[in-house]
Amino acid sequence: MKIATKFLGEVEIVEHDILTFEHGLLGLEEEREFVLLPIDADLPLALLQSVQHVEIGFVVAYPFAFKKDYSFDISEEDREQLQIDKQEDVLPYAIVTMKETFQESTINLLAPVILNINKKRGKQIVLQDSKAYPLRYPMLPLEGSAK
């Protein structure tokens, strides 16, 4: 099936790749179906695009590419909602706030998007632990990385 996207134009997707967000995203609770689309194979970025609405799409980043020691726990309730059976099924992303230049852009480490890639389920969670990750973390590449 074809869908229109915010940043990539019209793309072909497979229905099996649709991710279900039972509670939507923060501020978009009614938006329940998204697809994760690669942006550039050389960058740890993707597009989390609504299947229904072209204007609802977010650039997301693999957070460990920008903060090596990033870590958090997933609550038992969230594990149940996401139907997580094994750690290997979990894929975390952080929503990017794009600025004029990539170096000025930030990622939201406070409210990661957690995907169960096996069960095609997703949820955005707000971290409650004492580490207090920022809402706007600079997207500077790690030392030694190619980008």
Side-chain angles (χ1 to χ4, degrees), residues 84-143:
I84 296 170
D85 297 322
K86 6 177 228 209
Q87 186 69 29
E88 300 81 47
D89 294 341
V90 177
L91 186 58
Y93 277 98
I95 293 178
V96 174
T97 300
M98 297 299 290
K99 301 290 186 182
E100 205 163 311
T101 67
F102 186 75
Q103 290 76 18
E104 295 174 299
S105 299
T106 61
I107 57 176
N108 177 351
L109 295 181
L110 181 62
V113 174
I114 311 302
L115 304 177
N116 180 334
I117 55 173
N118 187 31
K119 301 280 176 83
K120 304 297 182 194
R121 299 182 64 81
K123 183 174 185 180
Q124 186 175 22
I125 63 173
V126 178
L127 302 181
Q128 303 293 326
D129 63 17
S130 61
K131 292 177 185 163
Y133 288 113
L135 186 62
R136 293 178 188 88
Y137 186 80
M139 289 188 69
L140 303 173
L142 293 173
E143 276 186 42

Side-chain angles (χ1 to χ4, degrees), residues 4 15 58 82-83 88 104 110 131 146-147:
E15 196 167 330
F58 302 94
L82 290 166
Q83 300 174 3
E88 300 81 47
E104 295 174 299
L110 181 62
K131 292 177 185 163
K147 298 285 174 198

Side-chain angles (χ1 to χ4, degrees), residues 12-146:
E12 184 78 31
I13 66 165
V14 180
E15 196 167 330
H16 173 75
D17 290 337
I18 295 174
L19 301 162
T20 300
F21 284 71
E22 188 178 331
H23 301 287
L25 294 174
L26 299 176
L28 294 167
E29 288 76 14
E30 302 302 314
E31 206 64 37
R32 306 263 169 89
E33 291 186 331
F34 289 84
V35 66
L36 190 67
L37 303 168
I39 292 177
D40 182 337
D42 294 332
L43 294 174
L45 303 174
L47 175 62
L48 186 63
Q49 175 66 51
S50 164
V51 173
Q52 304 297 324
H53 299 98
V54 64
E55 68 278 3
I56 300 177
F58 302 94
V59 174
V60 293
Y62 186 64
F64 303 101
F66 301 97
K67 180 144 180 65
K68 195 176 197 174
D69 63 348
Y70 185 59
S71 69
F72 56 89
D73 294 321
I74 301 173
S75 73
E76 192 56 42
E77 178 184 343
D78 291 335
R79 284 179 176 279
E80 287 175 17
Q81 286 179 2
L82 290 166
Q83 300 174 3
I84 296 170
D85 297 322
K86 6 177 228 209
Q87 186 69 29
E88 300 81 47
D89 294 341
V90 177
L91 186 58
Y93 277 98
I95 293 178
V96 174
T97 300
M98 297 299 290
K99 301 290 186 182
E100 205 163 311
T101 67
F102 186 75
Q103 290 76 18
E104 295 174 299
S105 299
T106 61
I107 57 176
N108 177 351
L109 295 181
L110 181 62
V113 174
I114 311 302
L115 304 177
N116 180 334
I117 55 173
N118 187 31
K119 301 280 176 83
K120 304 297 182 194
R121 299 182 64 81
K123 183 174 185 180
Q124 186 175 22
I125 63 173
V126 178
L127 302 181
Q128 303 293 326
D129 63 17
S130 61
K131 292 177 185 163
Y133 288 113
L135 186 62
R136 293 178 188 88
Y137 186 80
M139 289 188 69
L140 303 173
L142 293 173
E143 276 186 42
S145 69

